Amino acid sequence: MSLPESTDAWWKSAVVYQVYPRSFADSDGDGVGDLRGVESKLDYLAELGVDVLWLSPVYPSPQDDNGYDISDYRGIEPVFGTLDDFDRLLAGVHGRGMKLVMDLVVNHTSDEHPWFVESRSSKDNPKRDWYWWRPPREGVPAGAPGAEPTNWTSFFTGPTWELDEATGEYYLHLFSRKQPDLNWENPQVRAAVHEMMRWWLDRGVDGFRMDVINMISKDTALPDGPGGDGSAHYLHGPRLHEFLREMHREVFADRAGATMTVGEMPGVTVEEARLLTDPARAEVDMVFQFEHVQLDHGPSKWDRTGLDLRDLKATLGRWQAGLADVGWNSLYWNNHDQPRVVSRFGDDGAHRVESAKMLATVLHLHRGTPFIYQGEELGMTNYPFTSAAQFRDIESVNHHALAGDAALPGLRAMSRDNARTPMQWDASPNAGFTTGTPWLPVNPNHTEVNAAAALAETDSVFHHYRALIALRHSEPTVVHGNFTMLLPDDPNVYAFSRSHRDTELLVLANFTSKEQRPDLGFPWWDAHLVLGSHSNRGATLRPWEARVYRQ
Ligand code: NOJ
C-alpha cells in the first residue's frame, strides 16, 4: 500500500539540477567556475523551477579526477571559494525555496588526504587499516609484473594496485592511483564518515548524492576476476546493505524525512534497487542505475553502437515495473560522466531543439525523480573534438595513452569532457562563462545555443523544461501515476501512459527524423493536449515530436 500523498516523501515531486561547479560560472576570471558563480545564477535556476541543486564536489582536492579525489572533507577547494562563500550560496538556495545536496565521495579519498598520508607512513600506523594494504602476490617480487595482489583492472586503465616503495606493500585504488579505496570493514572509518556527514547536515545541507556507493563493501578475500574484471568482488559486496543501514541510522534517522539521498550504483539491478530503496529498510531514497546509458556501448563504452529504441523501452520499462510498488526511481539522461543526450539519442543537427524537447518530455513523464544536468535545459551538444590534446578528463587521457589516435572517434562520441565544456550563458566570446581563459574550451555553437537566447525565445528548449517541471508540480499524475508501456515493439515511437485516480496521461514521442503515425487502436489525437514539443495536432507525429495528452 502506498502512503497517502500528503505524507509522501518531498523528493518524489522534486526536480534536481546538477551543477558541475568547475564548468558552471566563473566569478573571478581564473577560467574555472566557482561558488560565487553558482550563487550569481540562482535566479536563473529558480526561474527554471527546479527544487534541488546537486553540487558536484567542491572540497579541497588535488583535482586528479576533478574533485572526486578529496583531501579534506570539511573545507572548500580554494579555486571554488571559501566556506563563507558556501554558506552564502546555501542561504541563497534556501532563500529561494530550493534545497542543496552535496556530493559524498567516500569509497575513496585522495592520496593527499591526511588519513592516507598517515596510513602509508608505516605498517604499524594506527590508520594503516583505514585503506586496503596487501603484500605482493606470493612468490612474485614487489614491483614485478603480476605482483599485484589481484588481477583487477582499474576504471581508469591499468592495475587497481599501486606499490608503495616505503613499506613494500600495495594499496587498492579502483579509480586513479591518487584515489585509494577506504576500508569500510574498519568501524573507525565508518564512524569518521558518519561524523563528517552530520557536520554538513548540521551546516544546513539537505542530503547527499553518494559516489559509487555500491563499491564500499568488498570481498575481503580479494579474489582475482575473469580477465581482470574484479567487479563481482567489489560491487554490492556482502556488507553493503548493512553499511547503508548503519549510515542511515547514524546520520539520517533523526532528521525526520528532511533529507534526500541518491546512491550512484554502477551495475545495480532492479532486484537490488528494490531492497536498497525500500523505505521500510532505511538504506537510500533512490539509486542511479546505468543500464539505459549502456545500451549504445559495444564491447566497451568507447565502441559506440546505435540505440535500438526497443531496448530503451525494455530497460526503462523494466525499472518502472520493478519499482512500481516499492522503492523509487531516479530519472536521468545526462550527468558529468555522460556525453550530451541530444548528440547521443537525439539529432544535434537539424532537429536539435525538437529532439532535446522530446527527450526531456519522455524522461520527465516517467515515474521517479528527474535529474537535469547543467546545459541540458538548453539542448547543449557534444563538443567537436578534433585532437587528443583537447581532452582533460583522466579517463579520456588514460584511454588515449593506451589506445592511441585510433581511440579518437570513440573519445569524441563518449568522452566525459563532452559534458564538462563550460555552460553557455550567452553569445559572447567565452559564452559568458569566464572573462579569462576557460579550463576547457567553450563549444563554438554557443553563439546559437545559450541561456540568454533560450530565455528570450518562448519556444526554446529552456521553456519546454520549465513547462515540464511546472506540470510535475501541478499534476499529481506525473508524480504518482502508474506507468504502462505501450507499443513496446515499435522501433520508432516511444509511447506510455500514466494513470492516477481518474486522470490518465498519454505520452507519445517520435525518436526519428521521419513522420510517424502510431497506431494505438483509438483516436488518441482527439484527447486534450497538455504539452507538446510542436504546435501540431492530428494523427501524424513530426520528426522528433513529443506530445502529452490528458484523457
Ligand atoms: C563516479 C563519478 O561520477 C565520476 O566522475 C568519478 O570519476 C568516479 N565516480 C570516481 O569518483
Side-chain angles (χ1 to χ4, degrees), residues 10-11 52-55 59 86 90 94 99-104 197 200-201 204-210 251-252 255 258-262 285:
W10 62 267
W11 36 261
V52 182
L53 258 61
W54 150 26
L55 214 52
Y59 315 93
F86 178 83
L90 186 57
H94 286 161
K99 296 183 190 280
L100 190 137
V101 162
M102 298 290 275
D103 221 304
L104 179 80
M197 293 171 75
W200 282 104
L201 291 171
V205 311
D206 302 290
F208 297 97
R209 173 270 186 188
M210 302 175 176
V251 178
F252 300 107
R255 293 181 197 255
T259 56
M260 180 193 119
T261 58
V262 49
D285 295 328

Side-chain angles (χ1 to χ4, degrees), residues 86-212:
F86 178 83
D87 289 339
R88 266 223 326 270
L89 171 64
L90 186 57
V93 170
H94 286 161
R96 286 165 181 81
M98 299 186 284
K99 296 183 190 280
L100 190 137
V101 162
M102 298 290 275
D103 221 304
L104 179 80
V105 189
V106 289
N107 172 69
H108 43 268
T109 67
S110 163
D111 66 337
E112 297 181 34
H113 193 292
W115 296 346
F116 188 74
V117 173
E118 272 192 58
S119 181
R120 84 187 308 171
S121 66
S122 77
K123 282 190 188 172
D124 52 13
N125 183 276
K127 290 211 167 55
R128 184 65 166 184
D129 183 49
W130 282 41
Y131 294 83
W132 295 84
W133 289 99
R134 289 292 184 277
R137 197 179 283 262
E138 225 179 297
V140 190
E148 293 83 14
T150 70
N151 67 348
W152 305 352
T153 303
S154 102
F155 286 99
F156 296 153
T157 72
T160 55
W161 296 94
E162 182 75 6
L163 177 64
D164 186 52
E165 301 282 356
T167 58
E169 288 193 330
Y170 287 84
Y171 65 85
L172 175 69
H173 60 89
L174 295 182
F175 293 89
S176 98
R177 61 168 65 87
K178 288 186 68 60
Q179 293 168 298
D181 281 52
L182 279 166
N183 176 16
W184 278 67
E185 297 294 320
N186 185 325
Q188 290 175 1
V189 168
R190 306 201 299 275
V193 169
H194 300 156
E195 200 189 325
M196 173 271 283
M197 293 171 75
R198 287 191 296 261
W199 187 84
W200 282 104
L201 291 171
D202 291 344
R203 207 171 186 99
V205 311
D206 302 290
F208 297 97
R209 173 270 186 188
M210 302 175 176
D211 192 71
V212 292

